Amino acid sequence: MAREGYATLLRGRASWYGRRFQGRRTTSGERFNRHEYTCAHKTLPFGTRLRVTNLTNGATVVVRVTDRGPFRHERIIDLAEVAARPLGIVDAGAATVVAEVVDSTTPLGIADTPENLAALRAGDPNPEAPFTAYLLPEVPAVSVALAAMPASPATAAKAPQFVVQAGTFIDAQHARAMQARILTIDPALPAEVLTVTVDGRAANRVVVGQLASWLAAETVRRNLQLWGIAGLVCQVPTGQAAADPDKPVLAVATSLK
């Protein structure tokens, strides 16, 4: 269905699978790992990468096709547990998503909500159908090139950066254990332990970042919360080094649940 100049879109219900299938061999021959960003699809070639967005909350992940299915309830895709959690599918059981075929070099994991999400919705030729597949004109190459151009030093200096604070510990061993737990959930997360001063005492703070947008940080925070890790999205003050242990980062609102 691929066509030059167009993106391939799939819209329908997504479900998930996890612990029960851990370690089983998938149709592609790989062993299923619920902690990896993979999925099952009925027909797409193994290795195809999909950017999957929950149409209700805008949460987005990128996954790789390694298995076949789902074969019931008119669902179009089965997501591994780690990919389903940030989309809210583990708690809900299923959700309506739009899945876009993306380049094979697109990083797997949590991603920003597509900027053209409204266009993805509007391009659906049959929104009343339980599922559909359609084509959408891609963003012109010149626009992509302009977006990829490095920002000027003045602009870059003003761009805010965000981190997720996942805990502050007096015992460094406890901090390293929290870091290891986060990396077990998602090895791609930039989790590190920083030495900070709290109330005049040395402490060890586990942070995930820096992240380029509040949405990216908030999505990470929600994902960690689903795994029982309470976090706080914070903005790094302009000009502050990523690992400056002597200056606190400024908290920003995280009212979304």
Side-chain angles (χ1 to χ4, degrees):
M1 183 173 176
R3 179 174 158 192
E4 186 174 357
Y6 288 81
T8 301
L9 279 300
L10 312 169
R11 192 267 305 151
R13 299 288 283 175
S15 48
W16 68 282
Y17 59 138
R19 187 186 302 274
R20 177 183 170 188
F21 298 90
Q22 183 71 15
R24 293 189 185 182
R25 197 172 295 280
T26 64
T27 312
S28 69
E30 295 184 23
R31 295 287 182 181
F32 174 71
N33 186 338
R34 65 194 179 103
H35 300 300
E36 293 181 355
Y37 286 89
T38 60
C39 71
H41 187 270
K42 296 182 184 70
T43 59
L44 284 172
F46 296 132
T48 299
R49 298 198 176 198
L50 296 169
R51 182 174 63 180
V52 182
T53 301
N54 185 327
L55 288 176
T56 300
N57 59 23
T60 302
V61 296
V62 176
V63 294
R64 181 170 58 90
V65 177
T66 61
D67 206 358
R68 290 292 177 235
F71 299 107
R72 60 190 182 91
H73 304 310
E74 297 183 328
R75 294 176 183 175
I76 65 168
I77 191 173
D78 255 344
L79 297 166
E81 183 176 353
V82 71
R85 282 190 178 277
L87 301 188
I89 295 176
V90 171
D91 290 333
T96 299
V97 303
V98 59
E100 179 182 0
V101 177
V102 294
D103 189 81
S104 60
T105 60
T106 306
L108 299 173
I110 296 171
D112 288 342
T113 301
E115 294 181 357
N116 65 336
L117 183 57
L120 299 184
R121 290 195 182 104
D124 191 335
N126 194 1
E128 300 303 319
F131 56 87
T132 188
Y134 57 102
L135 299 177
L136 194 70
E138 294 181 325
V139 177
V142 63
S143 300
V144 175
L146 289 172
M149 289 178 62
S152 65
T155 303
K158 296 179 182 178
Q161 296 287 307
F162 299 86
V163 299
V164 178
Q165 291 185 8
T168 302
F169 306 86
I170 297 300
D171 190 329
Q173 193 169 13
H174 290 167
R176 288 193 293 271
M178 174 61 76
Q179 179 191 27
R181 183 181 173 193
I182 292 172
L183 293 175
T184 297
I185 295 171
D186 185 353
L189 288 176
E192 59 181 329
V193 178
L194 304 180
T195 302
V196 298
T197 301
V198 179
D199 296 331
R201 300 178 62 188
N204 303 276
R205 177 167 293 158
V206 182
V207 300
V208 180
Q210 296 184 24
L211 300 162
S213 70
W214 176 87
L215 179 59
E218 174 63 12
T219 303
V220 170
R221 184 193 71 80
R222 292 187 197 180
N223 189 31
L224 294 178
Q225 184 179 44
L226 290 169
W227 289 88
I229 299 176
L232 174 68
V233 173
C234 302
Q235 180 176 331
V236 179
T238 302
Q240 179 176 318
D244 187 341
D246 298 320
K247 298 180 182 178
V249 292
L250 301 180
V252 297
T254 56
S255 59
L256 294 178
K257 300 298 182 183

